[in-house]
Amino acid sequence: MGAIGALERLVPVVLAFGCGVVLARRKVVPAESSKAFADYAFLFAVPCFLFGNIYRSDLGALFAWRALSGYAAAACAAAALVGTAAWVLGVRDPRAVALRIMAAVQVNTAYFAVPVFIMLFGDAAPVFPVLLFQVCVLSLVVISVMELGRPDRTGGPARRLGSAVGASLMTPVVIACNAGIVLNLLPVTVPRVVLDSFAFVGDSASPVALFALGLHLGGSGLEVRGTTREEVCLIGFKCVALPLIAYAVCRYAFGVEGDWLRYLVLIAAMPAPQNLFVFAQRYDVGVGLSASLVIKSSVVALALLPLWTQLVARPA
């Protein structure tokens, strides 16, 4: 896929995202309504999309364990690098270190990777295993650090941690993924009318999620001049270094080639996760930093996507 072909396939992504930015800037649609659109996408449309697609998928092909192990190893290596760098540079609060690791290593799957993969490949299935790895492994580690380091909570550490982990695992996205996997494995046939209904709602997930992100950006604004050196380093690591680490680890350490290598590099090139800001608000740590990273990494990732798409299209 050449640069022109990549740009053509990304036009719908830019259109939905850009429309949100323009309408919010012109105050045609209130920027505050981005939360309502985002909640619809994350709590309803995306779970519908994930359930139907996972239920219909070939799980053997979907969970390519060598590829996923390579991505997990790359993510762990990247997390160690970011955590060590933050500590060396004077960040001593474990919660602040965890937030920076989340910003640099986790990716925006539901709101960004899913619609991008649909536009580029007509299928977002390769995103699903990485989404589960993020929610069930990476996010749980971050939540554990945040909960154990939170000074304003009552109850013992075990109780607080158990409550946070339970809440994380009971999100609609995780429930939809697990339900799709279980019903795929069991000799159970989901009625066609149910799958068609889920598909109808799920088809709206991509444009609504991107529109919500655009509304958020249009309302918040983008202050390039106020970007700190730390923000530049974290965004550069997220949008450039992490895809390169994923490529090197997956290809040379785990022997991943072909389509899966391309998928994993593109997934790693996605921006910082939108729930980074949610975590920062909930645990009252790095709120301003997280909001800036989510917005600016989304813009940088969108600008670099045609380049990454062209690079990964070349034979490994």
Side-chain angles (χ1 to χ4, degrees):
M1 183 187 302
I4 301 300
L7 285 172
E8 289 177 348
R9 294 196 180 190
L10 288 172
V11 165
V13 175
V14 176
L15 178 63
F17 182 83
C19 182
V21 174
V22 172
L23 292 181
R25 296 289 290 177
R26 293 182 174 273
K27 302 187 185 303
V28 176
V29 179
E32 296 78 15
S33 64
S34 65
K35 185 179 186 305
F37 285 102
D39 285 346
Y40 166 80
F42 184 70
L43 300 177
F44 185 45
V46 170
C48 288
F49 176 85
L50 293 174
F51 173 80
N53 281 272
I54 291 177
Y55 174 75
R56 292 189 176 102
S57 296
D58 178 357
L59 295 183
L62 183 60
F63 288 90
W65 295 111
R66 177 183 292 183
L68 297 178
S69 297
Y71 187 88
C76 291
L81 287 173
V82 174
T84 301
W87 187 265
V88 169
L89 294 175
V91 181
R92 293 293 181 263
D93 185 349
R95 296 177 303 160
V97 175
L99 191 76
R100 284 158 174 77
I101 291 174
M102 185 177 183
V105 177
Q106 292 202 40
V107 301
N108 191 330
T109 51
Y111 292 101
F112 211 97
V114 166
V116 165
F117 267 65
I118 291 174
M119 291 300 102
L120 289 177
F121 307 111
D123 185 15
V127 179
F128 305 155
V130 174
L131 187 154
L132 286 175
F133 167 70
Q134 285 200 159
V135 173
C136 298
V137 179
L138 295 179
S139 291
L140 288 187
V141 173
V142 172
I143 289 174
S144 301
V145 174
M146 295 289 193
E147 280 294 327
L148 294 176
R150 190 171 180 176
D152 60 337
R153 293 294 295 270
T154 59
R159 182 178 179 181
R160 287 168 18 211
L161 181 58
S163 176
V165 170
S168 176
L169 294 178
M170 290 304 292
T171 59
V173 168
V174 177
I175 293 173
C177 289
N178 290 331
I181 292 172
V182 170
L183 292 178
N184 185 304
L185 294 173
L186 294 176
V188 176
T189 301
V190 177
R192 184 176 181 82
V193 64
V194 174
L195 293 176
D196 289 345
S197 300
F198 281 8
F200 177 77
V201 175
D203 286 343
S204 68
S206 298
V208 171
L210 288 167
F211 181 71
L213 196 60
L215 282 178
H216 180 68
L217 173 60
S220 302
L222 187 65
E223 297 183 3
V224 178
R225 292 183 179 179
T227 304
T228 65
R229 182 177 298 179
E230 182 180 33
E231 290 174 8
V232 171
C233 291
L234 287 171
I235 293 170
F237 189 94
K238 174 71 219 58
C239 297
V240 179
L242 183 62
L244 294 176
I245 292 173
Y247 178 87
V249 172
C250 291
R251 182 182 180 186
Y252 297 111
F254 287 82
V256 181
E257 297 180 347
D259 288 340
W260 265 110
L261 182 61
R262 301 183 183 99
Y263 296 152
L264 295 177
V265 171
L266 280 178
I267 290 173
M270 297 295 112
Q274 194 161 358
N275 61 353
L276 176 72
F277 181 64
V278 175
F279 276 38
Q281 283 187 314
R282 181 182 301 171
Y283 296 105
D284 192 24
V285 55
V287 177
L289 175 65
S290 64
S292 179
L293 290 174
V294 170
I295 294 172
K296 293 174 182 176
S297 68
S298 297
V299 175
V300 173
L302 190 62
L304 292 179
L305 266 178
L307 176 62
W308 285 117
T309 303
Q310 185 178 16
L311 290 177
V312 299
R314 297 178 179 179

